Amino acid sequence: ILNVEQSPQSLHVQEGDSTNFTCSFPSSNFYALHWYRWETAKSPEALFVMTLNGDEKKKGRISATLNTKEGYSYLYIKGSQPEDSATYLCANSMNRDDKIIFGKGTRLHILP
Amino acid sequence: DAGVIQSPRHEVTEMGQEVTLRCKPISGHNSLFWYRQTMMRGLELLIYFNNNVPIDDSGMPEDRFSAKMPNASFSTLKIQPSEPRDSAVYFCASSLVGTGGQPQHFGDGTRLSIL
């Protein structure tokens, strides 16, 4: 994998259901993996920054895991609510002082 | 605390005109980024600065685009002359240096329309 890839591109989930989606990134020269939430007509907002293999972070009903050896991260949302509707972006960097490269995002729609 | 401040929020101008977008990063942040959001390419990095010095401008589309950071609290992105294909939302973001492991904080963006 040469770029940051996210799947699926779009996802519809019933309110109350749990869901997850994937970010794949180059596993060589890894430094950090970022997750952002981007609501329509707003700006991206940082959720997590993870650096260690096996790392798991949680913020309320949202959590993320990291596997640096195989180059993927999962974002989980438990008990989806309408306010979770947004685009979720992941981004990776290869060293401490480098830029981060964004994936194209997963657009999540929560159905009432 | 004030977040990243961008101005203007909206800009509509005719092709051929000069456009200047402005950004004030969060106080104490020493990395600043300019991004462009389009339907086709998503969020693409144009240029970023560490301690007011441009580090990577490989994302700047062409010579019509230029960016400056004269001091730690102000940056501009200029397009001259502007073209309809430059229409997009432009975001500025800042972070602490060591940006690879620090979250970026985004401004509200400037929605640019070139007629």
Side-chain angles (χ1 to χ4, degrees):
Chain A
I1 294 178
L2 299 177
N3 298 313
V4 177
E5 297 173 1
Q6 294 188 245
S7 63
Q9 269 190 319
S10 181
L11 188 56
H12 290 76
V13 174
Q14 203 68 42
E15 182 178 349
D17 287 352
S18 297
T19 187
N20 65 85
F21 28 91
T22 308
C23 172
S24 302
F25 55 87
S27 55
S28 57
N29 297 319
F30 170 84
Y31 182 78
L33 192 284
H34 298 229
W35 280 102
Y36 290 80
R37 189 172 98 150
W38 194 0
E39 293 181 64
T40 303
K42 294 188 177 180
S43 55
E45 178 187 349
L47 287 173
F48 309 113
V49 180
M50 297 185 288
T51 56
L52 299 175
N53 184 46
D55 209 0
E56 182 170 342
K57 297 222 171 176
K58 188 174 180 181
K59 183 184 285 190
R61 294 178 292 98
I62 304 176
S63 61
T65 60
L66 179 65
N67 183 323
T68 60
K69 295 187 187 307
E70 296 181 39
Y72 65 84
S73 174
Y74 292 132
L75 190 82
Y76 299 89
I77 301 178
K78 186 177 178 182
S80 303
Q81 299 297 308
E83 60 264 28
D84 297 329
S85 294
T87 296
Y88 292 83
L89 296 171
C90 77
N92 87 314
S93 64
M94 291 189 286
N95 63 57
R96 179 184 178 272
D97 294 319
D98 203 7
K99 59 194 175 188
I100 63 175
I101 305 298
F102 282 92
K104 295 246 181 345
T106 291
R107 184 180 289 274
L108 177 64
H109 305 265
I110 305 302
L111 306 172
Chain B
D1 287 338
V4 175
I5 299 172
Q6 290 187 245
S7 64
R9 290 293 307 275
H10 304 274
E11 173 97 11
V12 181
T13 193
E14 293 187 347
M15 67 177 290
Q17 298 297 308
E18 178 179 290
V19 173
T20 300
L21 311 182
R22 297 173 176 80
C23 177
K24 177 178 166 57
I26 291 173
S27 177
H29 282 189
N30 37 22
S31 290
L32 183 139
F33 308 81
W34 283 101
Y35 292 93
R36 179 170 67 176
Q37 178 208 358
T38 62
M39 290 293 291
M40 294 295 292
R41 297 187 173 205
L43 195 63
E44 55 177 338
L45 178 67
L46 300 176
I47 185 171
Y48 79 99
F49 298 82
N50 279 352
N51 296 313
N52 312 339
V53 176
I55 302 299
D56 185 343
D57 65 355
S58 58
M60 295 285 261
E62 48 198 271
D63 291 345
R64 297 185 297 106
F65 285 68
S66 62
K68 292 182 180 179
M69 192 164 186
N71 57 63
S73 59
F74 183 66
S75 177
T76 59
L77 178 68
K78 191 171 290 189
I79 309 173
Q80 167 64 20
S82 57
E83 297 182 3
R85 61 191 167 124
D86 302 330
S87 298
V89 181
Y90 291 81
F91 286 99
C92 175
S94 71
S95 74
L96 294 170
V97 78
T99 181
Q102 298 289 337
Q104 294 187 10
H105 299 259
F106 285 76
D108 289 334
T110 294
R111 183 173 294 276
L112 178 63
S113 297
I114 308 297
L115 306 177

